[in-house]
Amino acid sequence: MKLHTINTGNFKLDGGAMFGVVPKSLWNKQNPADENNMCTWALRCMLVEDGDRLTLIDTGIGDKQDEKFFSHYDLHNMQTLEQAIKAAGFGLDEVTDVLLTHLHFDHCGGAIQRNAAGTGFEPTFKNAKYWSNQLHWEWATNPNAREKASFLKENILPIQESGQLNFIAPHEWIRENALPGMDLLFVNGHTEAQMLPILNYNGHKIAFMGDLLASSYHVPMPWIMGYDMRPLLTLSEKEKFLPWAVENGVKLFFEHDAQHEMATVIQTEKGIRTGEFMQLSDL
C-alpha cells in the first residue's frame, strides 16, 4: 500500500461557525480570521494505492458551481483533481474507487463534473465505484432545512444516475475491512452516518478525520463546529475516539487544517491534545 496526499486548494469559512461555542479570543490565536471573520481551511483528500485498487477518499469542492456560489468561499491556491492526481503519478481513469466520507459540497463536489458539451453532469471518474451508505444517502437527498445548503443535487444525484453508486452497510462504530485494507469509523454528530477510513500503513495506523475533527484545533473536547447537526453527540464521539487513538498510537490526517496535515494525539494534564505534527510523505 502507498498513500498520497491530494491537495486541491484552500477556501474560507466563518470562524464562528467553524469553532462553535469557543470564544473568538481563543480560536483566533489558532487560526486568525480576516476582516470578514473568515478563516482559511484546506481541501485535502487522500489517494490510496493498494494492489490493483486506486481509491480516492473525498474529492474536494470541485469547479462546476457558478461564480456567485464560489464567491462566498474565497477559493485560492486551487488545482483541479486531475492536476493533483496527475502529480501523484496517475490519471482520472485509473481511479477504481471513490469513498465519500459524506456528501457536503466541500467533500464531494469534485466527484461530478460538467460534461464536455456543458449540457449536464457526469462522474469525474468514469471507471470508479462510488461508495456511500444508505443512511447518509437518504439523509442527503432528503435534507433538513438547516443542512440543505450543504447538499447540492448536482453533486449527488448524478452519481446514482450513472449506475456507479455503491453502498457500505453502516455500523455502530468501526466496521473492519469495510473495503479491502480499510476499516471505517461511523459517526453521526456532524451529519448522519459519516464514514471515516482507518488504514494500516508502513506500521502506522492512520485515521482520515473528515469532519469529526476538521483540524488539529478541534482536538480539545469542547472545540466542536457550529455546523454539526448533533454537537453533543460529536462530543461523545470524540470522548470515545480520542482515548482509543491515544491508546493505539493513531495518527490523524486532517482534511481541512491548512497548517497541519497530520498529527499524533497525547494525553496531557489538560486532556488529550495534539502531539507531533507530520506529513504523510514522512511515514
Side-chain angles (χ1 to χ4, degrees):
M1 179 185 288
K2 187 173 183 181
L3 305 183
H4 307 266
T5 300
I6 301 297
N7 289 308
T8 64
N10 299 97
F11 70 144
K12 289 188 175 184
L13 292 171
D14 182 83
M18 285 298 288
F19 290 108
V21 300
V22 177
K24 185 177 181 180
S25 59
L26 294 180
W27 63 252
N28 200 52
K29 297 175 184 177
Q30 303 295 322
N31 192 348
D34 65 16
E35 65 278 6
N36 294 316
N37 212 52
M38 304 285 276
C39 301
T40 294
W41 305 93
L43 293 161
R44 184 180 294 118
C45 312
M46 183 189 288
L47 192 64
V48 182
E49 182 185 356
D50 190 13
D52 60 355
R53 298 175 74 100
L54 188 64
T55 302
L56 179 64
I57 303 171
D58 278 353
T59 64
I61 202 168
D63 58 7
K64 63 184 174 299
Q65 272 70 45
D66 60 25
E67 184 177 348
K68 180 180 179 180
F69 176 85
F70 286 127
S71 70
H72 299 302
Y73 304 104
D74 189 16
L75 305 185
H76 54 286
N77 301 324
M78 299 298 290
Q79 65 175 337
T80 65
L81 270 175
E82 183 172 16
Q83 292 169 330
I85 290 173
K86 183 178 180 180
F90 301 97
L92 297 181
D93 293 349
E94 294 179 80
V95 174
T96 62
D97 299 87
V98 177
L99 177 72
L100 300 169
T101 62
H102 60 297
L103 296 167
H104 288 167
F105 66 84
D106 55 317
H107 293 257
C108 74
I112 296 295
Q113 63 186 4
R114 292 188 179 275
N115 61 25
T119 57
F121 304 101
E122 63 184 12
T124 305
F125 306 95
K126 66 181 183 181
N127 296 322
K129 292 182 177 179
Y130 284 67
W131 297 95
S132 182
N133 66 77
Q134 188 76 48
L135 289 178
H136 185 66
W137 186 266
E138 293 176 357
W139 182 270
T141 54
N142 297 283
N144 62 77
R146 186 170 181 267
E147 203 174 1
K148 185 176 181 179
S150 293
F151 293 124
L152 307 182
K153 291 181 178 179
E154 62 269 30
N155 285 339
I156 300 172
L157 297 183
I159 301 174
Q160 187 174 48
E161 293 164 358
S162 72
Q164 294 173 236
L165 176 64
N166 296 265
F167 288 138
I168 297 168
H171 195 269
E172 62 182 13
W173 189 236
I174 295 176
R175 178 172 290 279
E176 296 182 352
N177 294 314
L179 290 177
M182 186 182 300
D183 299 338
L184 288 179
L185 168 68
F186 283 85
V187 287
N188 300 282
H190 178 63
T191 189
E192 180 75 8
Q194 180 183 193
M195 50 188 195
L196 305 175
I198 300 173
L199 304 109
N200 292 308
Y201 178 59
N202 289 347
H204 305 277
K205 189 178 288 290
I206 299 172
F208 185 98
M209 294 317 307
D211 278 347
L212 174 61
L213 299 173
S215 73
S216 60
Y217 316 125
H218 291 87
V219 169
M221 294 299 175
W223 292 57
I224 293 170
M225 293 189 291
Y227 292 114
D228 285 19
M229 293 298 103
R230 307 179 182 108
L232 290 179
L233 181 54
T234 297
L235 178 62
S236 68
E237 289 168 345
K238 290 175 68 175
E239 289 173 337
K240 185 175 181 179
F241 171 77
L242 284 168
W244 175 83
V246 171
E247 181 180 351
N248 289 277
V250 178
K251 294 175 171 62
L252 311 184
F253 183 94
F254 300 113
E255 190 160 6
H256 290 314
D257 192 320
Q259 284 75 42
H260 305 293
E261 183 174 308
M262 294 184 66
T264 60
V265 281
I266 57 174
Q267 183 70 51
T268 74
E269 293 181 355
K270 294 183 178 181
I272 294 176
R273 298 291 188 268
T274 52
E276 178 186 1
F277 291 108
M278 67 204 68
Q279 294 185 315
L280 193 56
S281 58
D282 296 331
L283 305 181

Short mmCIF file of all heavy atoms in Angstrom, two decimals, residues 31-77:
data_model
loop_
_atom_site.label_atom_id
_atom_site.label_comp_id
_atom_site.label_asym_id
_atom_site.label_seq_id
_atom_site.Cartn_x
_atom_site.Cartn_y
_atom_site.Cartn_z
N ASN A 31 -6.21 30.05 14.49
CA ASN A 31 -6.43 30.24 13.06
C ASN A 31 -6.99 31.65 12.85
O ASN A 31 -8.20 31.84 12.83
CB ASN A 31 -7.39 29.18 12.52
CG ASN A 31 -7.43 29.14 11.00
OD1 ASN A 31 -6.91 30.02 10.33
ND2 ASN A 31 -8.06 28.11 10.45
N PRO A 32 -6.12 32.66 12.74
CA PRO A 32 -6.57 34.05 12.71
C PRO A 32 -7.54 34.34 11.57
O PRO A 32 -7.36 33.89 10.43
CB PRO A 32 -5.26 34.83 12.53
CG PRO A 32 -4.21 33.91 13.05
CD PRO A 32 -4.66 32.54 12.70
N ALA A 33 -8.58 35.09 11.89
CA ALA A 33 -9.60 35.46 10.91
C ALA A 33 -9.21 36.72 10.16
O ALA A 33 -8.42 37.54 10.65
CB ALA A 33 -10.93 35.67 11.62
N ASP A 34 -9.78 36.87 8.96
CA ASP A 34 -9.58 38.11 8.21
C ASP A 34 -10.61 39.15 8.67
O ASP A 34 -11.34 38.94 9.64
CB ASP A 34 -9.63 37.85 6.70
CG ASP A 34 -11.00 37.37 6.21
OD1 ASP A 34 -12.00 37.50 6.93
OD2 ASP A 34 -11.06 36.85 5.07
N GLU A 35 -10.68 40.25 7.95
CA GLU A 35 -11.57 41.35 8.36
C GLU A 35 -13.05 40.97 8.28
O GLU A 35 -13.91 41.63 8.87
CB GLU A 35 -11.30 42.59 7.50
CG GLU A 35 -11.62 42.44 6.02
CD GLU A 35 -10.51 41.77 5.22
OE1 GLU A 35 -9.52 41.29 5.84
OE2 GLU A 35 -10.63 41.71 3.98
N ASN A 36 -13.35 39.88 7.58
CA ASN A 36 -14.73 39.40 7.47
C ASN A 36 -15.01 38.21 8.39
O ASN A 36 -16.02 37.53 8.24
CB ASN A 36 -15.04 39.02 6.02
CG ASN A 36 -15.01 40.20 5.09
OD1 ASN A 36 -15.55 41.27 5.41
ND2 ASN A 36 -14.37 40.05 3.95
N ASN A 37 -14.11 37.97 9.32
CA ASN A 37 -14.24 36.87 10.27
C ASN A 37 -14.08 35.50 9.62
O ASN A 37 -14.49 34.47 10.18
CB ASN A 37 -15.58 36.92 11.03
CG ASN A 37 -15.48 36.36 12.43
OD1 ASN A 37 -14.60 36.77 13.19
ND2 ASN A 37 -16.36 35.44 12.78
N MET A 38 -13.47 35.46 8.45
CA MET A 38 -13.28 34.22 7.71
C MET A 38 -11.88 33.66 7.95
O MET A 38 -10.89 34.41 7.96
CB MET A 38 -13.49 34.45 6.22
CG MET A 38 -14.84 35.05 5.85
SD MET A 38 -16.19 33.87 5.95
CE MET A 38 -16.03 33.10 4.32
N CYS A 39 -11.80 32.35 8.16
CA CYS A 39 -10.52 31.66 8.35
C CYS A 39 -10.22 30.77 7.15
O CYS A 39 -11.13 30.29 6.47
CB CYS A 39 -10.57 30.79 9.60
SG CYS A 39 -10.91 31.67 11.13
N THR A 40 -8.95 30.51 6.92
CA THR A 40 -8.53 29.68 5.80
C THR A 40 -8.48 28.22 6.20
O THR A 40 -7.97 27.86 7.26
CB THR A 40 -7.14 30.14 5.30
OG1 THR A 40 -7.25 31.46 4.76
CG2 THR A 40 -6.61 29.21 4.22
N TRP A 41 -8.99 27.37 5.28
CA TRP A 41 -9.04 25.93 5.50
C TRP A 41 -8.56 25.20 4.25
O TRP A 41 -8.62 25.74 3.15
CB TRP A 41 -10.47 25.49 5.85
CG TRP A 41 -11.00 26.25 7.03
CD1 TRP A 41 -11.74 27.39 7.00
CD2 TRP A 41 -10.77 25.96 8.41
NE1 TRP A 41 -12.00 27.84 8.28
CE2 TRP A 41 -11.41 26.96 9.16
CE3 TRP A 41 -10.09 24.94 9.08
CZ2 TRP A 41 -11.39 26.98 10.55
CZ3 TRP A 41 -10.07 24.95 10.46
CH2 TRP A 41 -10.71 25.96 11.18
N ALA A 42 -8.13 23.97 4.43
CA ALA A 42 -7.65 23.16 3.32
C ALA A 42 -8.78 22.34 2.72
O ALA A 42 -9.81 22.09 3.36
CB ALA A 42 -6.54 22.22 3.80
N LEU A 43 -8.57 21.93 1.50
CA LEU A 43 -9.42 20.95 0.79
C LEU A 43 -8.50 19.78 0.42
O LEU A 43 -8.05 19.65 -0.69
CB LEU A 43 -10.05 21.59 -0.45
CG LEU A 43 -11.07 22.70 -0.17
CD1 LEU A 43 -11.28 23.58 -1.39
CD2 LEU A 43 -12.39 22.11 0.31
N ARG A 44 -8.24 18.94 1.42
CA ARG A 44 -7.21 17.91 1.32
C ARG A 44 -7.86 16.52 1.24
O ARG A 44 -8.66 16.16 2.09
CB ARG A 44 -6.28 17.99 2.53
CG ARG A 44 -5.11 17.03 2.51
CD ARG A 44 -4.25 17.18 3.76
NE ARG A 44 -3.60 18.47 3.83
CZ ARG A 44 -3.79 19.37 4.79
NH1 ARG A 44 -4.65 19.12 5.76
NH2 ARG A 44 -3.15 20.52 4.78
N CYS A 45 -7.49 15.77 0.23
CA CYS A 45 -8.01 14.42 0.03
C CYS A 45 -6.86 13.42 0.17
O CYS A 45 -5.71 13.81 0.39
CB CYS A 45 -8.66 14.29 -1.35
SG CYS A 45 -9.82 15.64 -1.76
N MET A 46 -7.16 12.15 0.02
CA MET A 46 -6.12 11.12 0.09
C MET A 46 -6.34 10.10 -1.01
O MET A 46 -7.48 9.71 -1.28
CB MET A 46 -6.14 10.42 1.46
CG MET A 46 -5.04 9.37 1.64
SD MET A 46 -5.23 8.38 3.16
CE MET A 46 -4.80 9.59 4.40
N LEU A 47 -5.25 9.66 -1.62
CA LEU A 47 -5.29 8.63 -2.64
C LEU A 47 -4.59 7.38 -2.10
O LEU A 47 -3.46 7.46 -1.62
CB LEU A 47 -4.59 9.12 -3.91
CG LEU A 47 -4.77 8.30 -5.18
CD1 LEU A 47 -6.23 8.29 -5.64
CD2 LEU A 47 -3.88 8.84 -6.30
N VAL A 48 -5.30 6.25 -2.15
CA VAL A 48 -4.79 5.00 -1.58
C VAL A 48 -4.46 4.05 -2.72
O VAL A 48 -5.35 3.58 -3.43
CB VAL A 48 -5.82 4.36 -0.63
CG1 VAL A 48 -5.26 3.08 -0.03
CG2 VAL A 48 -6.24 5.34 0.45
N GLU A 49 -3.19 3.77 -2.89
CA GLU A 49 -2.71 2.84 -3.92
C GLU A 49 -2.48 1.49 -3.26
O GLU A 49 -1.61 1.34 -2.42
CB GLU A 49 -1.42 3.40 -4.51
CG GLU A 49 -0.81 2.60 -5.62
CD GLU A 49 0.54 3.17 -6.07
OE1 GLU A 49 0.95 4.23 -5.55
OE2 GLU A 49 1.17 2.51 -6.92
N ASP A 50 -3.28 0.50 -3.62
CA ASP A 50 -3.20 -0.79 -2.94
C ASP A 50 -3.47 -1.90 -3.96
O ASP A 50 -4.62 -2.19 -4.29
CB ASP A 50 -4.22 -0.86 -1.81
CG ASP A 50 -4.04 -2.08 -0.91
OD1 ASP A 50 -2.99 -2.73 -1.01
OD2 ASP A 50 -4.96 -2.37 -0.12
N GLY A 51 -2.39 -2.52 -4.44
CA GLY A 51 -2.54 -3.56 -5.46
C GLY A 51 -3.16 -3.00 -6.72
O GLY A 51 -2.69 -2.00 -7.27
N ASP A 52 -4.25 -3.62 -7.17
CA ASP A 52 -4.92 -3.15 -8.39
C ASP A 52 -6.03 -2.15 -8.09
O ASP A 52 -6.78 -1.78 -8.98
CB ASP A 52 -5.46 -4.33 -9.19
CG ASP A 52 -6.48 -5.15 -8.41
OD1 ASP A 52 -6.70 -4.86 -7.21
OD2 ASP A 52 -7.04 -6.09 -8.99
N ARG A 53 -6.12 -1.68 -6.85
CA ARG A 53 -7.13 -0.70 -6.47
C ARG A 53 -6.47 0.66 -6.24
O ARG A 53 -5.41 0.75 -5.61
CB ARG A 53 -7.87 -1.12 -5.20
CG ARG A 53 -8.64 -2.43 -5.33
CD ARG A 53 -9.23 -2.82 -3.99
NE ARG A 53 -10.37 -1.97 -3.64
CZ ARG A 53 -11.64 -2.34 -3.79
NH1 ARG A 53 -11.92 -3.53 -4.29
NH2 ARG A 53 -12.62 -1.54 -3.44
N LEU A 54 -7.13 1.70 -6.73
CA LEU A 54 -6.68 3.08 -6.52
C LEU A 54 -7.90 3.84 -5.99
O LEU A 54 -8.82 4.15 -6.75
CB LEU A 54 -6.16 3.68 -7.81
CG LEU A 54 -5.49 5.05 -7.70
CD1 LEU A 54 -4.22 4.97 -6.85
CD2 LEU A 54 -5.16 5.61 -9.09
N THR A 55 -7.90 4.09 -4.69
CA THR A 55 -9.07 4.65 -4.02
C THR A 55 -8.83 6.09 -3.64
O THR A 55 -7.85 6.41 -2.95
CB THR A 55 -9.41 3.84 -2.75
OG1 THR A 55 -9.63 2.47 -3.12
CG2 THR A 55 -10.65 4.39 -2.08
N LEU A 56 -9.73 6.96 -4.06
CA LEU A 56 -9.69 8.37 -3.68
C LEU A 56 -10.67 8.60 -2.53
O LEU A 56 -11.84 8.24 -2.63
CB LEU A 56 -10.06 9.25 -4.87
CG LEU A 56 -10.06 10.77 -4.61
CD1 LEU A 56 -8.66 11.27 -4.25
CD2 LEU A 56 -10.61 11.52 -5.82
N ILE A 57 -10.18 9.18 -1.44
CA ILE A 57 -11.02 9.49 -0.29
C ILE A 57 -11.37 10.97 -0.35
O ILE A 57 -10.52 11.84 -0.22
CB ILE A 57 -10.32 9.17 1.03
CG1 ILE A 57 -9.90 7.69 1.07
CG2 ILE A 57 -11.23 9.49 2.21
CD1 ILE A 57 -9.01 7.34 2.24
N ASP A 58 -12.64 11.25 -0.59
CA ASP A 58 -13.20 12.59 -0.79
C ASP A 58 -12.62 13.26 -2.03
O ASP A 58 -11.60 12.84 -2.58
CB ASP A 58 -13.07 13.45 0.46
CG ASP A 58 -14.18 13.16 1.47
OD1 ASP A 58 -15.10 12.39 1.14
OD2 ASP A 58 -14.12 13.69 2.60
N THR A 59 -13.31 14.30 -2.48
CA THR A 59 -12.98 14.88 -3.79
C THR A 59 -12.92 16.40 -3.80
O THR A 59 -12.91 17.01 -4.87
CB THR A 59 -14.01 14.41 -4.85
OG1 THR A 59 -15.30 14.92 -4.51
CG2 THR A 59 -14.06 12.89 -4.95
N GLY A 60 -12.90 17.03 -2.63
CA GLY A 60 -12.82 18.48 -2.60
C GLY A 60 -14.09 19.15 -3.08
O GLY A 60 -15.16 18.54 -3.19
N ILE A 61 -13.99 20.42 -3.40
CA ILE A 61 -15.15 21.26 -3.70
C ILE A 61 -15.55 21.24 -5.17
O ILE A 61 -16.66 21.62 -5.53
CB ILE A 61 -14.90 22.70 -3.21
CG1 ILE A 61 -16.20 23.47 -2.98
CG2 ILE A 61 -13.96 23.44 -4.15
CD1 ILE A 61 -16.01 24.78 -2.23
N GLY A 62 -14.63 20.82 -6.05
CA GLY A 62 -14.94 20.81 -7.48
C GLY A 62 -14.92 22.20 -8.09
O GLY A 62 -14.52 23.18 -7.44
N ASP A 63 -15.38 22.28 -9.33
CA ASP A 63 -15.31 23.57 -10.03
C ASP A 63 -16.54 23.86 -10.89
O ASP A 63 -16.50 24.72 -11.76
CB ASP A 63 -14.05 23.64 -10.90
CG ASP A 63 -13.97 22.53 -11.93
OD1 ASP A 63 -14.96 21.77 -12.08
OD2 ASP A 63 -12.92 22.41 -12.60
N LYS A 64 -17.65 23.17 -10.64
CA LYS A 64 -18.79 23.30 -11.56
C LYS A 64 -19.87 24.29 -11.11
O LYS A 64 -20.78 24.59 -11.88
CB LYS A 64 -19.42 21.93 -11.81
CG LYS A 64 -20.01 21.26 -10.59
CD LYS A 64 -20.52 19.87 -10.94
CE LYS A 64 -20.98 19.13 -9.72
NZ LYS A 64 -19.87 18.93 -8.76
N GLN A 65 -19.79 24.77 -9.86
CA GLN A 65 -20.78 25.77 -9.44
C GLN A 65 -20.46 27.13 -10.07
O GLN A 65 -19.38 27.33 -10.62
CB GLN A 65 -20.81 25.86 -7.91
CG GLN A 65 -21.76 24.88 -7.24
CD GLN A 65 -21.29 23.44 -7.35
OE1 GLN A 65 -20.13 23.15 -7.13
NE2 GLN A 65 -22.19 22.55 -7.71
N ASP A 66 -21.39 28.06 -9.93
CA ASP A 66 -21.19 29.35 -10.59
C ASP A 66 -20.34 30.30 -9.73
O ASP A 66 -20.02 30.01 -8.57
CB ASP A 66 -22.53 30.00 -10.94
CG ASP A 66 -23.42 30.26 -9.73
OD1 ASP A 66 -22.89 30.40 -8.61
OD2 ASP A 66 -24.65 30.33 -9.92
N GLU A 67 -19.99 31.44 -10.32
CA GLU A 67 -19.11 32.40 -9.67
C GLU A 67 -19.71 32.92 -8.37
O GLU A 67 -18.99 33.12 -7.38
CB GLU A 67 -18.82 33.56 -10.63
CG GLU A 67 -17.84 34.58 -10.08
CD GLU A 67 -17.53 35.68 -11.08
OE1 GLU A 67 -17.89 35.52 -12.27
OE2 GLU A 67 -16.93 36.69 -10.68
N LYS A 68 -21.01 33.13 -8.35
CA LYS A 68 -21.67 33.63 -7.14
C LYS A 68 -21.49 32.65 -5.98
O LYS A 68 -21.19 33.04 -4.85
CB LYS A 68 -23.15 33.87 -7.39
CG LYS A 68 -23.90 34.41 -6.18
CD LYS A 68 -25.37 34.65 -6.49
CE LYS A 68 -26.10 35.16 -5.25
NZ LYS A 68 -27.54 35.40 -5.53
N PHE A 69 -21.67 31.36 -6.25
CA PHE A 69 -21.51 30.35 -5.22
C PHE A 69 -20.09 30.36 -4.66
O PHE A 69 -19.89 30.43 -3.44
CB PHE A 69 -21.84 28.96 -5.78
CG PHE A 69 -21.62 27.84 -4.81
CD1 PHE A 69 -22.59 27.48 -3.90
CD2 PHE A 69 -20.42 27.13 -4.81
CE1 PHE A 69 -22.38 26.44 -2.99
CE2 PHE A 69 -20.20 26.09 -3.91
CZ PHE A 69 -21.19 25.75 -3.00
N PHE A 70 -19.11 30.31 -5.54
CA PHE A 70 -17.73 30.24 -5.09
C PHE A 70 -17.27 31.53 -4.41
O PHE A 70 -16.35 31.51 -3.59
CB PHE A 70 -16.80 29.89 -6.25
CG PHE A 70 -16.90 28.45 -6.68
CD1 PHE A 70 -17.14 28.13 -8.01
CD2 PHE A 70 -16.75 27.43 -5.78
CE1 PHE A 70 -17.22 26.81 -8.41
CE2 PHE A 70 -16.82 26.10 -6.16
CZ PHE A 70 -17.07 25.78 -7.49
N SER A 71 -17.92 32.66 -4.72
CA SER A 71 -17.52 33.93 -4.11
C SER A 71 -17.70 33.93 -2.60
O SER A 71 -17.06 34.71 -1.89
CB SER A 71 -18.32 35.09 -4.73
OG SER A 71 -19.68 35.05 -4.33
N HIS A 72 -18.57 33.07 -2.09
CA HIS A 72 -18.79 33.00 -0.65
C HIS A 72 -17.63 32.35 0.10
O HIS A 72 -17.53 32.47 1.32
CB HIS A 72 -20.07 32.21 -0.34
CG HIS A 72 -21.31 32.81 -0.92
ND1 HIS A 72 -21.73 34.09 -0.63
CD2 HIS A 72 -22.24 32.30 -1.76
CE1 HIS A 72 -22.85 34.34 -1.26
NE2 HIS A 72 -23.19 33.27 -1.97
N TYR A 73 -16.75 31.65 -0.65
CA TYR A 73 -15.74 30.82 0.00
C TYR A 73 -14.30 31.20 -0.35
O TYR A 73 -13.38 30.55 0.13
CB TYR A 73 -16.00 29.35 -0.36
CG TYR A 73 -17.40 28.93 0.01
CD1 TYR A 73 -18.38 28.77 -0.97
CD2 TYR A 73 -17.75 28.75 1.34
CE1 TYR A 73 -19.69 28.43 -0.63
CE2 TYR A 73 -19.05 28.41 1.69
CZ TYR A 73 -20.01 28.25 0.70
OH TYR A 73 -21.30 27.92 1.04
N ASP A 74 -14.11 32.23 -1.14
CA ASP A 74 -12.78 32.78 -1.42
C ASP A 74 -11.78 31.66 -1.74
O ASP A 74 -10.76 31.50 -1.07
CB ASP A 74 -12.29 33.62 -0.25
CG ASP A 74 -11.01 34.39 -0.57
OD1 ASP A 74 -10.68 34.52 -1.77
OD2 ASP A 74 -10.33 34.84 0.37
N LEU A 75 -12.06 30.90 -2.78
CA LEU A 75 -11.15 29.82 -3.17
C LEU A 75 -9.80 30.39 -3.59
O LEU A 75 -9.72 31.38 -4.32
CB LEU A 75 -11.75 29.01 -4.33
CG LEU A 75 -13.14 28.41 -4.14
CD1 LEU A 75 -13.50 27.55 -5.33
CD2 LEU A 75 -13.23 27.61 -2.85
N HIS A 76 -8.72 29.75 -3.14
CA HIS A 76 -7.38 30.21 -3.53
C HIS A 76 -6.41 29.03 -3.47
O HIS A 76 -6.69 28.00 -2.86
CB HIS A 76 -6.91 31.37 -2.65
CG HIS A 76 -6.94 31.11 -1.18
ND1 HIS A 76 -8.11 31.07 -0.44
CD2 HIS A 76 -5.95 30.90 -0.29
CE1 HIS A 76 -7.84 30.84 0.83
NE2 HIS A 76 -6.54 30.72 0.95
N ASN A 77 -5.29 29.20 -4.13
CA ASN A 77 -4.28 28.13 -4.26
C ASN A 77 -4.90 26.85 -4.83
O ASN A 77 -4.52 25.75 -4.45
CB ASN A 77 -3.64 27.82 -2.89
CG ASN A 77 -2.97 29.01 -2.26
OD1 ASN A 77 -2.39 29.85 -2.94
ND2 ASN A 77 -3.07 29.11 -0.93
#
